[in-house]
Amino acid sequence: MQSTVDISWDKYLADIQKLAKQIKSKYNCILGISRGGNIPATILAEALNIPLCIIAISSYKKTKKTEVKVYNGISNSNAFFTSKKILIVDDLIDTGDTMKYLLKVIGDKKVDIAVIYNKQKEIVPEYCVENIKKGWIKFPYEVAKWKK
């Protein structure tokens, strides 16, 4: 069984704040990857005063690895399609499959990547708070973690 890295709300929010402080470039749009990227993308969009777009895409179902699936296209698509420089935001790069798929779909747009946590070396985000080598990361918003 895989080890678990428990992230508290305090750590999670402090790490998003650290991520915001790293971002120095100017972006026309933040593209948050739903579901895990919703919270950090929203906070960064507010903190940096940048329009927010969301795409629902995943390569996991609960804790099981699956094929990459797009559940919803890009919201606020006008902001996305007219943007010259986009910041993709997610909570985590795990295997990198979701990010690789998204980068292929985006094509030739200028993008940078910001994640709170990174678990692999193939895709190197421009902004990252912590590299975690192994273990399943349990975020504070994961309902299964709550005590009933």
Side-chain angles (χ1 to χ4, degrees):
M1 185 171 168
Q2 188 170 203
S3 65
T4 304
V5 179
D6 264 319
I7 305 293
S8 70
W9 275 112
D10 287 342
K11 177 172 174 40
Y12 180 69
L13 294 172
D15 285 347
I16 294 171
Q17 188 172 28
K18 288 177 190 173
L19 189 62
K21 288 178 181 176
Q22 290 179 16
I23 299 168
K24 303 298 182 208
S25 281
K26 299 289 183 200
Y27 297 94
N28 306 105
C29 172
I30 287 180
L31 179 60
I33 301 176
S34 181
R35 293 183 310 201
N38 280 352
I39 297 170
T42 301
I43 292 171
L44 291 175
E46 285 290 324
L48 303 172
N49 196 27
I50 301 171
L52 174 63
C53 304
I54 298 289
I55 185 168
I57 183 172
S58 179
S59 59
Y60 279 89
K61 187 167 186 162
K62 299 203 182 218
T63 60
K64 302 282 187 220
K65 180 78 179 96
T66 64
E67 293 295 315
V68 175
K69 182 174 179 183
V70 177
Y71 295 94
N72 268 6
I74 297 169
S75 68
N76 193 11
S77 59
N78 188 46
F80 174 80
F81 289 112
T82 59
S83 292
K84 291 182 175 36
K85 194 167 181 187
I86 297 166
L87 181 63
I88 299 173
V89 177
D90 205 356
D91 55 356
L92 161 75
I93 296 177
D94 191 348
T95 64
D97 290 349
T98 300
M99 196 63 70
K100 284 182 227 168
Y101 181 88
L102 186 56
L103 290 170
K104 189 160 59 165
V105 168
I106 289 174
D108 62 354
K109 285 202 171 280
K110 171 65 180 126
V111 299
D112 286 339
I113 299 168
V115 295
I116 306 168
Y117 311 110
N118 184 22
K119 288 176 65 177
Q120 54 84 53
K121 295 176 184 171
E122 191 175 338
I123 296 174
V124 179
E126 284 72 19
Y127 310 103
C128 177
V129 174
E130 187 176 347
N131 290 299
I132 296 176
K133 292 190 178 174
K134 52 183 157 179
W136 181 260
I137 298 177
K138 274 195 172 175
F139 290 95
Y141 52 77
E142 291 182 42
V143 177
K145 182 177 170 179
W146 297 354
K147 292 189 167 68
K148 296 185 181 193

